[in-house]
């Protein structure tokens, strides 16, 4: 899922405080899991902003609303009235959701309430860690299911590098060396022979360097 | 990139406001029906005198409490909230 | 909760959680008095003070 983090309230407040009707708009899928941008967080942020408005003697009206996903047309219907009411929307979705709203409502000002951080997993309650870079050409089959593109600081495909030290990465000793993890897992699975196969030069054209990417299913586009 | 969800709580910089002469604290108590609210009831039965500033909201269980309930109280201008259960 | 309030300039000491059983009537009275006293020391909440000045910002629906 996509992991994001709420911007400091001072920053978002500065974006919206001069409007008269502000909608804090939650996105209840990915960013709700990391407790930053769901409908509940929207409710809380709207309340905090109302307290700020009161203290600053401003008379703007702040409401909250939210939908399941701000990156799909289907979900917007239930919130259409709220969005039309507002003259500025503070979206708590990831960058995808914010831009989707901009495309869908070209006449409404949409501001980002989150900093979108990475694609990650819920390692344990409260801990979210990056684990995919969406490079467009998955190498997990060759790397014991552990991704060196996202988990090795250098994205080395034939590792480890010389900076691997007692299982830790040279950039931070609390960061496990992805290649150490790969070798350990191959060993545990009795598949160390796989490690001897050199990875060919990776085709990075599927990564973002080739510009924004698209996936097309013509059969659904009728 | 490291995104830490918890920022260190900056010690509250509440600008002290001069209390108007007739000011009395307004305190909201969120009480569980089965323990704290019963305790408050008992205090009443025992004819104990306690602060008249406290207004009680009875919850079926403190698990019913949401962040928003507390925030909403502050929005409306209470001076303090305590949860008892 | 105690992390949310300071973001808008409200002292986190204005919220507290107490544990007590149904048999603790006297303790209830004590908590009410103690907590009210704490709030008295802190003074009016910044929001109440602003509302008193006529600041009615952020009206919710």
């Amino acid at each position: 899922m996509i992991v994001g983090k709420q911007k400091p309230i001072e920053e978002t407040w500065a974006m919206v405080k001069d409007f008269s009707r502000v909608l804090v708009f939650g996105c209840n899928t990915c960013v709700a899991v990391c407790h930053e941008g769901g409908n509940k967080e929207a409710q809380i942020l709207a309340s905090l902003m109302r307290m700020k408005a009161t203290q600053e003697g401003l008379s703007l009206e702040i409401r909250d609303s939210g939908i399941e996903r701000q990156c799909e047309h289907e979900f917007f219907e239930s919130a259409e009235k709220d969005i039309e009411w507002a003259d500025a929307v503070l979206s708590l979705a990831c960058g995808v959701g914010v831009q989707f709203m901009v495309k869908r409502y070209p006449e409404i000002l949409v501001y980002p309430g989150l900093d979108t951080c990475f694609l990650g997993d819920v390692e344990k309650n409260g801990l979210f860690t990056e684990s995919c870079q969406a490079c467009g050409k998955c190498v997990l089959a060759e790397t014991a299911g552990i991704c060196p593109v996202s988990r090795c600081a250098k994205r080395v495909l034939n590792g480890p590098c010389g900076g691997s030290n007692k299982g830790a990465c040279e950039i931070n000793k609390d960061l496990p060396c992805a290649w150490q993890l790969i070798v350990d897992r191959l060993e545990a699975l009795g598949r160390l022979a796989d490690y001897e196969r050199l990875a060919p030069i990776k085709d990075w054209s599927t990564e973002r360097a080739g510009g924004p990417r698209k996936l097309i299913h013509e059969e659904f586009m009728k | 990139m490291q995104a830490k969800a918890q920022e260190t709580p900056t010690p509250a910089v509440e600008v002290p406001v001069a209390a108007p002469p007739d000011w009395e604290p307004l305190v909201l108590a969120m009480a569980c029906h089965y323990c704290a609210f019963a305790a408050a009831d008992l205090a009443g039965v025992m004819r104990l005198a306690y602060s008249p500033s406290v207004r009680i909201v009875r919850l079926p269980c403190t698990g019913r409490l949401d962040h928003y309930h507390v925030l909403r109280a502050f929005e409306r201008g209470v001076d303090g909230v305590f949860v008892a259960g | 909760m105690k992390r949310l309030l300071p973001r808008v300039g409200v002292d986190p000491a204005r919220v507290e959680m107490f544990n007590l059983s149904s048999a603790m009537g006297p303790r209830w009275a004590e908590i009410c008095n103690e907590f009210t006293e704490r709030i008295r020391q802190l003074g009016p909440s910044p929001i109440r003070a602003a509302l008193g000045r006529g600041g009615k910002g952020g009206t919710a629906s």
Side-chain angles (χ1 to χ4, degrees):
Chain A
M1 61 168 195
I2 296 169
V3 178
K5 185 178 185 306
Q6 247 180 54
K7 286 176 177 289
I9 194 166
E10 291 73 22
E11 195 180 331
T12 38
W13 180 236
M15 296 172 190
V16 300
K17 70 186 182 103
D18 296 325
F19 292 95
S20 52
R21 290 185 307 276
V22 173
L23 182 71
V24 183
F25 198 50
C27 185
N28 222 15
T29 304
C30 310
V31 289
V33 177
C34 56
H35 315 291
E36 295 284 343
N39 297 351
K40 183 179 160 88
E41 287 74 28
Q43 193 182 40
I44 290 173
L45 184 60
S47 174
L48 291 174
M49 284 188 157
R50 283 193 289 270
M51 288 191 223
K52 258 185 126 49
T54 306
Q55 290 182 67
E56 293 181 16
L58 297 172
S59 62
L60 69 161
E61 204 175 328
I62 302 163
R63 291 185 192 171
D64 69 271
S65 173
I67 54 174
E68 280 310 294
R69 281 201 283 286
Q70 294 184 22
C71 54
E72 267 185 78
H73 287 294
E74 279 69 17
F75 294 99
F76 277 88
E77 203 178 320
S78 65
E80 214 77 72
K81 279 208 175 70
D82 296 325
I83 296 167
E84 278 164 19
W85 163 84
D87 50 22
V89 174
L90 181 66
S91 162
L92 297 191
C94 68
V96 179
V98 175
Q99 292 183 77
F100 192 80
M101 283 198 70
V102 168
K103 277 192 249 181
R104 191 181 155 92
Y105 304 101
E107 71 293 348
I108 292 177
L109 279 159
V110 185
Y111 291 93
L114 298 195
D115 290 319
T116 309
C117 302
F118 51 80
L119 302 181
D121 57 35
V122 191
E123 194 167 317
K124 58 181 182 186
N125 244 346
L127 176 62
F128 307 90
T129 42
E130 179 162 29
S131 43
C132 179
Q133 292 263 307
C135 72
K137 198 101 182 70
C138 193
V139 299
L140 287 171
E142 288 82 46
T143 58
I146 293 163
C147 174
V149 179
S150 55
R151 294 170 63 181
C152 165
K154 289 178 177 169
R155 302 174 153 205
V156 166
L157 289 164
N158 291 289
C161 75
S164 177
N165 187 6
K166 297 188 184 105
C169 176
E170 64 181 333
I171 66 160
N172 179 349
K173 61 177 178 343
D174 297 323
L175 186 71
C177 167
W179 273 99
Q180 183 73 51
L181 297 176
I182 292 168
V183 171
D184 290 349
R185 178 143 202 262
L186 284 172
E187 193 176 6
L189 296 172
R191 300 187 65 92
L192 261 184
D194 290 6
Y195 180 56
E196 300 303 323
R197 285 207 300 268
L198 290 181
I201 294 172
K202 186 169 162 59
D203 173 11
W204 288 103
S205 67
T206 56
E207 220 235 10
R208 214 209 66 83
R213 296 161 284 179
K214 271 190 181 132
L215 174 66
I216 298 168
H217 279 300
E218 274 173 2
E219 68 272 34
F220 294 113
M221 291 172 74
K222 305 260 151 59
Chain B
M1 155 164 209
Q2 276 220 314
K4 277 203 186 145
Q6 288 146 332
E7 65 231 56
T8 37
T10 36
V13 240
E14 219 176 79
V15 192
V17 199
D22 57 344
W23 177 76
E24 274 299 317
L26 181 58
V27 171
L28 186 68
M30 305 292 245
C32 158
H33 171 74
Y34 294 95
C35 30
F37 192 80
D41 208 9
L42 179 61
V45 171
M46 292 168 77
R47 301 282 180 262
L48 297 173
Y50 61 86
S51 164
S53 299
V54 178
R55 312 296 147 85
I56 309 174
V57 171
R58 178 170 61 98
L59 300 172
C61 165
T62 43
R64 178 64 186 88
L65 189 72
D66 190 275
H67 290 81
Y68 188 57
H69 299 140
V70 178
L71 291 172
R72 198 87 178 110
F74 277 106
E75 251 184 67
R76 297 286 177 88
V78 301
D79 299 303
V81 177
F82 74 86
V83 183
Chain C
M1 201 67 235
K2 285 192 175 265
R3 271 204 306 276
L4 289 174
L5 291 173
R7 289 194 206 165
V8 286
V10 175
D11 194 324
R14 291 184 185 276
V15 282
E16 203 53 78
M17 166 91 205
F18 297 101
N19 266 308
L20 71 174
S21 85
S22 56
M24 293 161 89
R27 176 69 185 130
W28 169 267
E30 210 175 284
I31 288 171
C32 289
N33 290 333
E34 277 170 16
F35 193 77
T36 307
E37 195 41 44
R38 184 202 286 190
I39 298 303
R40 195 182 299 280
Q41 296 307 317
L42 288 168
S45 95
I47 292 123
R48 187 173 178 191
L51 286 169
R53 282 198 309 269
K56 287 211 179 72
T59 354
S61 49

